[in-house]
Amino acid sequence: LAKHPEIKALMKPDYNLIWVVVLMVLAQLTAFYLVKDLDWKWVVFWAYVFGSCISHSMTLAIHEISHNSAFGNSKAMWNRWFGIFANLPLGLPYSISFKRYHMDHHRYLGGDGIDVDIPTNFEGWFFCTRFRKFIWIVLQPFFYAIRPLCINPKPITRLEIINLLAQLSFDIVIYYLWGVKSTFYMLAGSVLGLGLHPISGHFIAEHYMFLKGHETYSYYGPLNLLTFNVGYHNEHHDFPNIPGKSLPLVKKIAAEYYDNLPQYNSWIKVLYDFVMDDTISPYSRMKRQLKGEVKQD
């Protein structure tokens, strides 16, 4: 910032995010209606080909919203309510809890017992062969859901209860209106999209140490168009209050800081390399013993 003070001008909400999220919710509602009378094979097909992309993209919209990118820091609660709305087509309550844990991830990256992005010791010990690592990738959404309860359980908040009740009500309405196929499409799209899916390469690309000494990596490929530029991950951790839309400008302005860092060109290759490289496993993360006072969200 001392060298490039113009970056401060990018620290403002991205109001276009609001309309993009609304259109994504409407797209999924349309899909729920269209799949209700299809054969099961086509329900599964469209859940993976289309629903999974929208669902994973929506989780990254929720990531943006967790940083108050939709309405700004001055309207933090507007962002929380909007996150609950964006959560609806995923089928499972996620938004409020994600925000709480994700702020810890930024404050205490790799913090032992705090950052639940770090796999558990069991994951590192058990998923150590190529086949087991493949299964671990398939089951990633389940580990991301269970891991916080094992590593850093937190008291349930009022907003989390509201998130849960809103989601259950929405799921019941979808089932009542359009039946089991639409409900299955919704839930399967979320599970498949966060598991063995090209976009899921970002989970591993972001912080797994493929090169010693480098714990955060950026990806500058085309899938950023579907993921609100989450691939610009070094830039995001440097400036978490800058919306994803503006992160390419951060890289352009401060090119001397980012251009020479190790980077990825393919999330699919990241998944392949993670499975096939015997030196990489869920253990390949930087873990820190935190000292001093820890303030969690």
Side-chain angles (χ1 to χ4, degrees), residues 238-258:
D238 286 346
F239 300 101
N241 56 342
I242 294 180
K245 180 188 74 172
S246 298
L247 292 178
L249 289 175
V250 172
K251 181 179 183 296
K252 183 178 180 180
I253 292 169
E256 69 272 27
Y257 290 98
Y258 298 111

Short mmCIF file of all heavy atoms in Angstrom, two decimals, residues 238-258:
data_model
loop_
_atom_site.label_atom_id
_atom_site.label_comp_id
_atom_site.label_asym_id
_atom_site.label_seq_id
_atom_site.Cartn_x
_atom_site.Cartn_y
_atom_site.Cartn_z
N ASP A 238 -3.85 -11.01 0.78
CA ASP A 238 -3.24 -9.71 1.04
C ASP A 238 -4.29 -8.63 1.26
O ASP A 238 -4.10 -7.73 2.09
CB ASP A 238 -2.33 -9.31 -0.13
CG ASP A 238 -1.03 -10.09 -0.16
OD1 ASP A 238 -0.71 -10.74 0.85
OD2 ASP A 238 -0.34 -10.03 -1.20
N PHE A 239 -5.41 -8.72 0.51
CA PHE A 239 -6.44 -7.68 0.57
C PHE A 239 -7.83 -8.33 0.64
O PHE A 239 -8.60 -8.29 -0.32
CB PHE A 239 -6.35 -6.77 -0.67
CG PHE A 239 -5.04 -6.06 -0.80
CD1 PHE A 239 -4.08 -6.52 -1.69
CD2 PHE A 239 -4.75 -4.95 -0.02
CE1 PHE A 239 -2.85 -5.88 -1.81
CE2 PHE A 239 -3.53 -4.29 -0.13
CZ PHE A 239 -2.58 -4.76 -1.03
N PRO A 240 -8.17 -8.94 1.78
CA PRO A 240 -9.46 -9.64 1.88
C PRO A 240 -10.66 -8.72 1.82
O PRO A 240 -11.79 -9.21 1.65
CB PRO A 240 -9.37 -10.34 3.26
CG PRO A 240 -8.35 -9.57 4.03
CD PRO A 240 -7.37 -9.08 3.01
N ASN A 241 -10.46 -7.41 1.94
CA ASN A 241 -11.58 -6.47 1.86
C ASN A 241 -11.76 -5.91 0.45
O ASN A 241 -12.56 -4.99 0.25
CB ASN A 241 -11.38 -5.32 2.85
CG ASN A 241 -10.06 -4.59 2.67
OD1 ASN A 241 -9.14 -5.12 2.04
ND2 ASN A 241 -9.95 -3.39 3.22
N ILE A 242 -11.06 -6.47 -0.53
CA ILE A 242 -11.26 -6.09 -1.93
C ILE A 242 -12.07 -7.20 -2.61
O ILE A 242 -11.68 -8.37 -2.58
CB ILE A 242 -9.92 -5.88 -2.66
CG1 ILE A 242 -9.20 -4.66 -2.08
CG2 ILE A 242 -10.14 -5.71 -4.16
CD1 ILE A 242 -7.86 -4.37 -2.73
N PRO A 243 -13.22 -6.89 -3.22
CA PRO A 243 -14.04 -7.91 -3.88
C PRO A 243 -13.27 -8.64 -4.97
O PRO A 243 -12.34 -8.09 -5.58
CB PRO A 243 -15.20 -7.11 -4.47
CG PRO A 243 -15.27 -5.87 -3.65
CD PRO A 243 -13.84 -5.55 -3.27
N GLY A 244 -13.69 -9.87 -5.24
CA GLY A 244 -13.03 -10.69 -6.25
C GLY A 244 -12.97 -10.02 -7.60
O GLY A 244 -12.01 -10.19 -8.35
N LYS A 245 -13.99 -9.24 -7.94
CA LYS A 245 -14.03 -8.57 -9.24
C LYS A 245 -12.79 -7.70 -9.46
O LYS A 245 -12.31 -7.56 -10.60
CB LYS A 245 -15.28 -7.70 -9.32
CG LYS A 245 -15.44 -6.94 -10.63
CD LYS A 245 -16.58 -5.94 -10.59
CE LYS A 245 -16.23 -4.73 -9.76
NZ LYS A 245 -17.26 -3.65 -9.86
N SER A 246 -12.25 -7.14 -8.38
CA SER A 246 -11.14 -6.18 -8.51
C SER A 246 -9.77 -6.80 -8.27
O SER A 246 -8.76 -6.10 -8.41
CB SER A 246 -11.35 -5.02 -7.52
OG SER A 246 -12.55 -4.33 -7.81
N LEU A 247 -9.71 -8.08 -7.92
CA LEU A 247 -8.41 -8.69 -7.63
C LEU A 247 -7.48 -8.72 -8.85
O LEU A 247 -6.26 -8.56 -8.69
CB LEU A 247 -8.60 -10.10 -7.06
CG LEU A 247 -9.22 -10.13 -5.66
CD1 LEU A 247 -9.41 -11.57 -5.21
CD2 LEU A 247 -8.37 -9.37 -4.65
N PRO A 248 -7.99 -8.91 -10.09
CA PRO A 248 -7.07 -8.80 -11.24
C PRO A 248 -6.40 -7.42 -11.32
O PRO A 248 -5.25 -7.32 -11.78
CB PRO A 248 -7.99 -9.06 -12.44
CG PRO A 248 -9.08 -9.92 -11.89
CD PRO A 248 -9.31 -9.40 -10.51
N LEU A 249 -7.10 -6.38 -10.89
CA LEU A 249 -6.49 -5.05 -10.89
C LEU A 249 -5.38 -4.94 -9.85
O LEU A 249 -4.37 -4.26 -10.07
CB LEU A 249 -7.56 -3.98 -10.63
CG LEU A 249 -8.56 -3.73 -11.75
CD1 LEU A 249 -9.63 -2.74 -11.31
CD2 LEU A 249 -7.85 -3.22 -13.00
N VAL A 250 -5.58 -5.63 -8.71
CA VAL A 250 -4.52 -5.66 -7.69
C VAL A 250 -3.26 -6.28 -8.28
O VAL A 250 -2.15 -5.74 -8.14
CB VAL A 250 -4.97 -6.46 -6.45
CG1 VAL A 250 -3.79 -6.65 -5.48
CG2 VAL A 250 -6.12 -5.77 -5.75
N LYS A 251 -3.42 -7.40 -8.99
CA LYS A 251 -2.27 -8.06 -9.60
C LYS A 251 -1.62 -7.16 -10.65
O LYS A 251 -0.39 -7.10 -10.76
CB LYS A 251 -2.70 -9.37 -10.24
CG LYS A 251 -1.55 -10.15 -10.90
CD LYS A 251 -2.04 -11.45 -11.50
CE LYS A 251 -0.89 -12.24 -12.09
NZ LYS A 251 -0.25 -11.57 -13.22
N LYS A 252 -2.44 -6.46 -11.42
CA LYS A 252 -1.90 -5.59 -12.46
C LYS A 252 -1.16 -4.40 -11.86
O LYS A 252 -0.06 -4.03 -12.32
CB LYS A 252 -3.04 -5.10 -13.35
CG LYS A 252 -2.59 -4.23 -14.51
CD LYS A 252 -3.78 -3.83 -15.37
CE LYS A 252 -3.34 -2.94 -16.54
NZ LYS A 252 -4.49 -2.54 -17.39
N ILE A 253 -1.72 -3.80 -10.83
CA ILE A 253 -1.10 -2.63 -10.20
C ILE A 253 0.21 -3.00 -9.52
O ILE A 253 1.22 -2.30 -9.65
CB ILE A 253 -2.07 -1.99 -9.19
CG1 ILE A 253 -3.26 -1.37 -9.92
CG2 ILE A 253 -1.36 -0.94 -8.34
CD1 ILE A 253 -4.39 -0.94 -9.00
N ALA A 254 0.18 -4.12 -8.78
CA ALA A 254 1.36 -4.53 -8.00
C ALA A 254 2.01 -5.76 -8.62
O ALA A 254 2.37 -6.71 -7.93
CB ALA A 254 0.96 -4.80 -6.56
N ALA A 255 2.17 -5.74 -9.94
CA ALA A 255 2.68 -6.91 -10.67
C ALA A 255 4.02 -7.40 -10.15
O ALA A 255 4.30 -8.61 -10.15
CB ALA A 255 2.78 -6.58 -12.16
N GLU A 256 4.87 -6.49 -9.68
CA GLU A 256 6.20 -6.90 -9.22
C GLU A 256 6.15 -7.80 -7.99
O GLU A 256 7.10 -8.53 -7.70
CB GLU A 256 7.07 -5.67 -8.93
CG GLU A 256 6.65 -4.84 -7.72
CD GLU A 256 5.62 -3.77 -8.05
OE1 GLU A 256 4.86 -3.94 -9.02
OE2 GLU A 256 5.59 -2.76 -7.31
N TYR A 257 5.01 -7.78 -7.27
CA TYR A 257 4.87 -8.62 -6.08
C TYR A 257 4.29 -10.00 -6.40
O TYR A 257 4.47 -10.94 -5.64
CB TYR A 257 3.96 -7.93 -5.05
CG TYR A 257 4.59 -6.72 -4.41
CD1 TYR A 257 4.28 -5.43 -4.88
CD2 TYR A 257 5.50 -6.84 -3.37
CE1 TYR A 257 4.85 -4.31 -4.31
CE2 TYR A 257 6.07 -5.73 -2.79
CZ TYR A 257 5.75 -4.46 -3.26
OH TYR A 257 6.32 -3.34 -2.69
N TYR A 258 3.56 -10.12 -7.51
CA TYR A 258 2.82 -11.34 -7.78
C TYR A 258 3.31 -12.15 -8.98
O TYR A 258 3.19 -13.38 -9.01
CB TYR A 258 1.34 -11.01 -7.98
CG TYR A 258 0.69 -10.39 -6.77
CD1 TYR A 258 0.29 -9.06 -6.77
CD2 TYR A 258 0.50 -11.13 -5.61
CE1 TYR A 258 -0.29 -8.48 -5.65
CE2 TYR A 258 -0.07 -10.57 -4.48
CZ TYR A 258 -0.47 -9.24 -4.50
OH TYR A 258 -1.03 -8.69 -3.39
#
